[in-house]
Amino acid sequence: MELSEEQFRRYARHLILDEVGEEGQEKLLSSRVLVVGAGGLGSPLLLYLAAAGVGTLGVIDNDRVDLTNLQRQIVHRTERVGDLKVESARATLAAVNDDIRVEAHPVRLGPDNAADIIARYDLVADGSDNFATRYLLTDQCFRLKKPLVAAALSPFEGQLSTFRPYLGAGHPCYRCLFREPPPPDLVPRCEEAGILGAVAGVMGTMQAVEVLKELLGLGDSLDGTLLIYEALAARFHRIRIGKDPECPTCGAGTASANG
Ligand SMILES: [Zn+2]
């Protein structure tokens, strides 16, 4: 792939970085990333990945834009209230960068369609707001050997990690950290719990950085580390995650585990 004159200008601030350069930019342009959820995390994630020139962005979300979303879901606009979120996101992203392709999946990710959709992408970024999706992605990304960059939010806190458990020993999955989803009545979603909108912005933006690092093979991966952001204390901290040999997804007893 040869960069066009317009691409040389658009991505100039990437191209002058030794760590990205033409080769890195071409890698981004040929990359396919699936973003799950066009909400609080998905918004900054999609905006930065589109601006960075990630060539194909899949967006999966079956919701429509609601007025209460706009406090944090910055990829959507007031005039698009009532539209499908994937179409609303597609319109914004096209205005930011018409050099990339957006593949809209206006469906709910479930056991029936997950493998088929995930298989078409190089990497998955989880910006979903529920445990069913998080565990489904954990299992399917392990099976299909796709890196999973996952973030989660509570009202004033965010968590972020990268999972590549198919690499074997030393590479845990989300289930190594939290074996089972908590009972549904214990985990209020944003809609019920509330959230300081900008906290979603911090986490979704950091998630975009980690996605770009994974695609470019840059720096230290968050694989094996949980990064926690406490907004009220203005503090970040990191927790090491060990691989659980008994993990039902990636442990020694599972078919595709190799460590
Ligand atoms: Zn595991």
Side-chain angles (χ1 to χ4, degrees):
M1 180 181 9
E2 281 278 294
L3 295 183
S4 69
E5 207 166 309
E6 193 192 318
Q7 287 174 324
F8 269 104
R9 283 182 56 75
R10 179 180 284 277
Y11 306 117
R13 297 303 181 275
H14 273 167
L15 298 176
I16 54 172
L17 295 172
D18 288 340
E19 292 82 353
V20 184
E22 251 179 88
E23 197 187 324
Q25 190 61 51
E26 286 168 7
K27 211 184 276 181
L28 294 180
L29 285 164
S30 59
S31 292
R32 300 177 52 83
V33 171
L34 178 66
V35 173
V36 180
L41 291 164
S43 289
L45 192 47
L46 287 164
L47 285 164
Y48 272 112
L49 296 181
V54 172
T56 305
L57 288 173
V59 194
I60 178 160
D61 200 311
N62 67 333
D63 273 351
R64 288 178 181 273
V65 180
D66 185 84
L67 192 57
T68 61
N69 297 152
L70 301 182
Q71 168 255 18
R72 62 198 178 283
Q73 302 183 12
I74 58 173
V75 80
H76 306 301
R77 302 284 179 263
T78 306
E79 69 263 24
R80 300 208 199 102
V81 166
D83 293 358
L84 278 169
K85 283 188 179 179
V86 288
E87 294 303 338
S88 163
R90 196 215 294 268
T92 304
L93 300 180
V96 170
N97 188 356
D98 58 3
D99 194 28
I100 62 142
R101 257 165 62 87
V102 174
E103 296 177 348
H105 302 282
V107 295
R108 186 176 172 81
L109 196 75
D112 51 322
N113 60 14
D116 183 46
I117 296 173
I118 292 168
R120 295 180 232 167
Y121 296 90
D122 305 319
L123 180 149
V124 178
D126 181 10
S128 70
D129 61 354
N130 66 86
F131 283 94
T133 303
R134 200 167 301 162
Y135 281 87
L136 179 64
L137 289 173
T138 296
D139 296 345
Q140 293 295 337
C141 288
F142 170 70
R143 233 170 45 77
L144 296 165
K145 299 186 164 56
K146 307 287 182 184
L148 172 64
V149 180
L153 298 169
S154 52
F156 298 102
E157 212 184 275
Q159 300 180 349
L160 178 64
S161 192
T162 296
F163 300 102
R164 303 181 298 188
Y166 49 85
L167 295 178
H171 302 276
C173 77
Y174 185 77
R175 240 186 241 279
C176 292
L177 181 63
F178 301 112
R179 174 75 67 98
E180 296 295 337
D185 51 320
L186 278 185
V187 277
R189 301 169 16 160
C190 278
E191 283 89 286
E192 298 108 47
I195 181 164
L196 197 66
V199 173
V202 170
M203 297 315 295
T205 303
M206 291 191 58
Q207 202 176 359
V209 174
E210 295 306 315
V211 169
L212 294 171
K213 281 168 59 188
E214 291 295 326
L215 296 175
L216 293 166
L218 280 187
D220 299 322
S221 173
L222 273 181
D223 184 358
T225 303
L226 183 70
L227 184 71
I228 298 169
Y229 171 52
E230 293 178 70
L232 293 182
R235 197 159 44 204
F236 284 96
H237 55 108
R238 301 161 66 96
I239 297 173
R240 290 294 306 170
I241 313 168
K243 197 173 178 83
D244 177 359
E246 315 269 281
C247 173
T249 297
C250 74
T254 59
S256 15
N258 52 5

mmCIF file of all heavy atoms in Angstrom, residues 138-139 142 163 165 171-177 179 242-251 254, ligand 1:
data_model
loop_
_atom_site.group_PDB
_atom_site.id
_atom_site.type_symbol
_atom_site.label_atom_id
_atom_site.label_comp_id
_atom_site.label_asym_id
_atom_site.label_seq_id
_atom_site.Cartn_x
_atom_site.Cartn_y
_atom_site.Cartn_z
ATOM 1 N N THR A 138 -14.650 -12.470 26.301
ATOM 2 C CA THR A 138 -13.496 -13.150 26.903
ATOM 3 C C THR A 138 -13.341 -14.544 26.306
ATOM 4 O O THR A 138 -12.259 -14.936 25.860
ATOM 5 C CB THR A 138 -13.685 -13.259 28.431
ATOM 6 O OG1 THR A 138 -13.698 -11.941 28.973
ATOM 7 C CG2 THR A 138 -12.585 -14.071 29.090
ATOM 8 N N ASP A 139 -14.431 -15.301 26.278
ATOM 9 C CA ASP A 139 -14.378 -16.684 25.786
ATOM 10 C C ASP A 139 -14.122 -16.741 24.281
ATOM 11 O O ASP A 139 -13.286 -17.513 23.808
ATOM 12 C CB ASP A 139 -15.683 -17.413 26.143
ATOM 13 C CG ASP A 139 -15.863 -17.552 27.657
ATOM 14 O OD1 ASP A 139 -14.876 -17.345 28.394
ATOM 15 O OD2 ASP A 139 -16.985 -17.862 28.102
ATOM 16 N N PHE A 142 -10.578 -15.555 23.174
ATOM 17 C CA PHE A 142 -9.591 -16.594 23.490
ATOM 18 C C PHE A 142 -9.628 -17.688 22.416
ATOM 19 O O PHE A 142 -8.604 -18.065 21.847
ATOM 20 C CB PHE A 142 -9.869 -17.205 24.868
ATOM 21 C CG PHE A 142 -9.036 -18.429 25.147
ATOM 22 C CD1 PHE A 142 -7.674 -18.321 25.355
ATOM 23 C CD2 PHE A 142 -9.621 -19.694 25.181
ATOM 24 C CE1 PHE A 142 -6.893 -19.447 25.592
ATOM 25 C CE2 PHE A 142 -8.852 -20.824 25.423
ATOM 26 C CZ PHE A 142 -7.481 -20.698 25.629
ATOM 27 N N PHE A 163 -6.086 -8.429 27.076
ATOM 28 C CA PHE A 163 -6.048 -9.876 27.305
ATOM 29 C C PHE A 163 -5.605 -10.602 26.043
ATOM 30 O O PHE A 163 -6.185 -10.411 24.970
ATOM 31 C CB PHE A 163 -7.436 -10.359 27.748
ATOM 32 C CG PHE A 163 -7.905 -9.709 29.026
ATOM 33 C CD1 PHE A 163 -8.836 -8.683 29.005
ATOM 34 C CD2 PHE A 163 -7.381 -10.115 30.251
ATOM 35 C CE1 PHE A 163 -9.255 -8.071 30.184
ATOM 36 C CE2 PHE A 163 -7.798 -9.504 31.437
ATOM 37 C CZ PHE A 163 -8.736 -8.486 31.397
ATOM 38 N N PRO A 165 -4.780 -14.294 26.265
ATOM 39 C CA PRO A 165 -4.556 -15.553 26.993
ATOM 40 C C PRO A 165 -4.119 -16.707 26.085
ATOM 41 O O PRO A 165 -3.517 -17.674 26.553
ATOM 42 C CB PRO A 165 -5.918 -15.847 27.631
ATOM 43 C CG PRO A 165 -6.909 -15.089 26.815
ATOM 44 C CD PRO A 165 -6.192 -13.865 26.325
ATOM 45 N N HIS A 171 -0.124 -15.148 30.533
ATOM 46 C CA HIS A 171 -1.103 -14.318 29.815
ATOM 47 C C HIS A 171 -2.519 -14.668 30.272
ATOM 48 O O HIS A 171 -3.144 -15.556 29.707
ATOM 49 C CB HIS A 171 -0.959 -14.506 28.295
ATOM 50 C CG HIS A 171 0.407 -14.167 27.792
ATOM 51 N ND1 HIS A 171 0.783 -12.872 27.483
ATOM 52 C CD2 HIS A 171 1.488 -14.951 27.576
ATOM 53 C CE1 HIS A 171 2.047 -12.885 27.073
ATOM 54 N NE2 HIS A 171 2.498 -14.121 27.127
ATOM 55 N N PRO A 172 -2.990 -13.991 31.335
ATOM 56 C CA PRO A 172 -4.308 -14.306 31.891
ATOM 57 C C PRO A 172 -5.448 -13.779 31.029
ATOM 58 O O PRO A 172 -5.228 -12.963 30.129
ATOM 59 C CB PRO A 172 -4.294 -13.562 33.227
ATOM 60 C CG PRO A 172 -3.391 -12.386 32.987
ATOM 61 C CD PRO A 172 -2.334 -12.879 32.033
ATOM 62 N N CYS A 173 -6.656 -14.257 31.302
ATOM 63 C CA CYS A 173 -7.851 -13.698 30.673
ATOM 64 C C CYS A 173 -8.687 -13.030 31.766
ATOM 65 O O CYS A 173 -8.350 -13.069 32.944
ATOM 66 C CB CYS A 173 -8.655 -14.777 29.947
ATOM 67 S SG CYS A 173 -9.647 -15.853 31.006
ATOM 68 N N TYR A 174 -9.787 -12.420 31.355
ATOM 69 C CA TYR A 174 -10.656 -11.726 32.311
ATOM 70 C C TYR A 174 -11.219 -12.696 33.354
ATOM 71 O O TYR A 174 -11.397 -12.358 34.511
ATOM 72 C CB TYR A 174 -11.786 -11.032 31.545
ATOM 73 C CG TYR A 174 -12.675 -10.182 32.415
ATOM 74 C CD1 TYR A 174 -12.248 -8.936 32.855
ATOM 75 C CD2 TYR A 174 -13.930 -10.627 32.798
ATOM 76 C CE1 TYR A 174 -13.056 -8.153 33.657
ATOM 77 C CE2 TYR A 174 -14.750 -9.856 33.596
ATOM 78 C CZ TYR A 174 -14.305 -8.621 34.037
ATOM 79 O OH TYR A 174 -15.116 -7.853 34.831
ATOM 80 N N ARG A 175 -11.461 -13.949 32.933
ATOM 81 C CA ARG A 175 -12.003 -14.950 33.855
ATOM 82 C C ARG A 175 -10.965 -15.409 34.888
ATOM 83 O O ARG A 175 -11.339 -15.907 35.957
ATOM 84 C CB ARG A 175 -12.511 -16.156 33.068
ATOM 85 C CG ARG A 175 -13.964 -16.424 33.256
ATOM 86 C CD ARG A 175 -14.349 -17.711 32.572
ATOM 87 N NE ARG A 175 -15.335 -17.503 31.537
ATOM 88 C CZ ARG A 175 -16.644 -17.377 31.766
ATOM 89 N NH1 ARG A 175 -17.119 -17.429 32.982
ATOM 90 N NH2 ARG A 175 -17.469 -17.215 30.766
ATOM 91 N N CYS A 176 -9.663 -15.254 34.560
ATOM 92 C CA CYS A 176 -8.620 -15.537 35.559
ATOM 93 C C CYS A 176 -8.732 -14.533 36.709
ATOM 94 O O CYS A 176 -8.388 -14.829 37.845
ATOM 95 C CB CYS A 176 -7.232 -15.414 34.949
ATOM 96 S SG CYS A 176 -6.802 -16.654 33.727
ATOM 97 N N LEU A 177 -9.204 -13.334 36.378
ATOM 98 C CA LEU A 177 -9.319 -12.248 37.348
ATOM 99 C C LEU A 177 -10.638 -12.356 38.113
ATOM 100 O O LEU A 177 -10.668 -12.305 39.331
ATOM 101 C CB LEU A 177 -9.236 -10.924 36.586
ATOM 102 C CG LEU A 177 -9.315 -9.616 37.340
ATOM 103 C CD1 LEU A 177 -8.144 -9.476 38.306
ATOM 104 C CD2 LEU A 177 -9.312 -8.442 36.352
ATOM 105 N N ARG A 179 -13.718 -14.946 38.110
ATOM 106 C CA ARG A 179 -14.151 -16.242 37.581
ATOM 107 C C ARG A 179 -15.569 -16.207 37.026
ATOM 108 O O ARG A 179 -15.845 -16.656 35.930
ATOM 109 C CB ARG A 179 -14.018 -17.310 38.670
ATOM 110 C CG ARG A 179 -14.552 -18.696 38.329
ATOM 111 C CD ARG A 179 -13.655 -19.472 37.380
ATOM 112 N NE ARG A 179 -12.379 -19.824 37.970
ATOM 113 C CZ ARG A 179 -12.095 -21.004 38.496
ATOM 114 N NH1 ARG A 179 -12.990 -21.951 38.539
ATOM 115 N NH2 ARG A 179 -10.885 -21.242 38.975
ATOM 116 N N GLY A 242 -2.540 -12.675 37.713
ATOM 117 C CA GLY A 242 -1.903 -13.961 37.436
ATOM 118 C C GLY A 242 -2.815 -14.830 36.573
ATOM 119 O O GLY A 242 -4.034 -14.649 36.582
ATOM 120 N N LYS A 243 -2.210 -15.772 35.839
ATOM 121 C CA LYS A 243 -3.025 -16.717 35.099
ATOM 122 C C LYS A 243 -3.511 -17.787 36.060
ATOM 123 O O LYS A 243 -2.722 -18.326 36.825
ATOM 124 C CB LYS A 243 -2.199 -17.350 33.966
ATOM 125 C CG LYS A 243 -3.057 -18.043 32.897
ATOM 126 C CD LYS A 243 -2.175 -18.486 31.733
ATOM 127 C CE LYS A 243 -2.937 -19.218 30.658
ATOM 128 N NZ LYS A 243 -3.603 -18.326 29.706
ATOM 129 N N ASP A 244 -4.808 -18.057 36.048
ATOM 130 C CA ASP A 244 -5.388 -19.065 36.921
ATOM 131 C C ASP A 244 -5.330 -20.413 36.210
ATOM 132 O O ASP A 244 -6.000 -20.600 35.194
ATOM 133 C CB ASP A 244 -6.844 -18.659 37.226
ATOM 134 C CG ASP A 244 -7.567 -19.695 38.079
ATOM 135 O OD1 ASP A 244 -6.951 -20.733 38.423
ATOM 136 O OD2 ASP A 244 -8.754 -19.473 38.380
ATOM 137 N N PRO A 245 -4.519 -21.358 36.744
ATOM 138 C CA PRO A 245 -4.392 -22.653 36.054
ATOM 139 C C PRO A 245 -5.724 -23.396 35.957
ATOM 140 O O PRO A 245 -5.904 -24.257 35.093
ATOM 141 C CB PRO A 245 -3.379 -23.422 36.902
ATOM 142 C CG PRO A 245 -3.174 -22.645 38.147
ATOM 143 C CD PRO A 245 -3.707 -21.258 37.953
ATOM 144 N N GLU A 246 -6.655 -23.047 36.861
ATOM 145 C CA GLU A 246 -7.978 -23.692 36.855
ATOM 146 C C GLU A 246 -9.016 -22.885 36.071
ATOM 147 O O GLU A 246 -10.212 -23.197 36.132
ATOM 148 C CB GLU A 246 -8.498 -23.810 38.292
ATOM 149 C CG GLU A 246 -7.497 -24.300 39.316
ATOM 150 C CD GLU A 246 -7.556 -25.814 39.447
ATOM 151 O OE1 GLU A 246 -8.473 -26.288 40.126
ATOM 152 O OE2 GLU A 246 -6.697 -26.496 38.844
ATOM 153 N N CYS A 247 -8.580 -21.837 35.381
ATOM 154 C CA CYS A 247 -9.529 -20.963 34.685
ATOM 155 C C CYS A 247 -10.356 -21.763 33.677
ATOM 156 O O CYS A 247 -9.804 -22.486 32.854
ATOM 157 C CB CYS A 247 -8.780 -19.849 33.959
ATOM 158 S SG CYS A 247 -9.848 -18.848 32.914
ATOM 159 N N PRO A 248 -11.683 -21.642 33.753
ATOM 160 C CA PRO A 248 -12.538 -22.406 32.833
ATOM 161 C C PRO A 248 -12.384 -21.965 31.377
ATOM 162 O O PRO A 248 -12.707 -22.720 30.456
ATOM 163 C CB PRO A 248 -13.971 -22.128 33.331
ATOM 164 C CG PRO A 248 -13.876 -20.981 34.268
ATOM 165 C CD PRO A 248 -12.449 -20.863 34.723
ATOM 166 N N THR A 249 -11.878 -20.759 31.133
ATOM 167 C CA THR A 249 -11.667 -20.314 29.749
ATOM 168 C C THR A 249 -10.281 -20.723 29.260
ATOM 169 O O THR A 249 -10.151 -21.406 28.244
ATOM 170 C CB THR A 249 -11.825 -18.785 29.624
ATOM 171 O OG1 THR A 249 -13.155 -18.437 29.958
ATOM 172 C CG2 THR A 249 -11.532 -18.304 28.208
ATOM 173 N N CYS A 250 -9.225 -20.287 29.976
ATOM 174 C CA CYS A 250 -7.878 -20.432 29.401
ATOM 175 C C CYS A 250 -6.964 -21.323 30.222
ATOM 176 O O CYS A 250 -5.784 -21.414 29.950
ATOM 177 C CB CYS A 250 -7.250 -19.047 29.208
ATOM 178 S SG CYS A 250 -6.710 -18.264 30.743
ATOM 179 N N GLY A 251 -7.509 -21.988 31.279
ATOM 180 C CA GLY A 251 -6.673 -22.810 32.162
ATOM 181 C C GLY A 251 -6.156 -24.074 31.479
ATOM 182 O O GLY A 251 -6.536 -24.395 30.351
ATOM 183 N N THR A 254 -8.298 -26.650 29.511
ATOM 184 C CA THR A 254 -9.080 -26.308 28.313
ATOM 185 C C THR A 254 -8.341 -26.707 27.051
ATOM 186 O O THR A 254 -7.120 -26.729 27.010
ATOM 187 C CB THR A 254 -9.402 -24.804 28.275
ATOM 188 O OG1 THR A 254 -8.189 -24.066 28.269
ATOM 189 C CG2 THR A 254 -10.220 -24.383 29.470
HETATM 190 ZN ZN ZN B 1 -8.273 -17.335 32.088
#
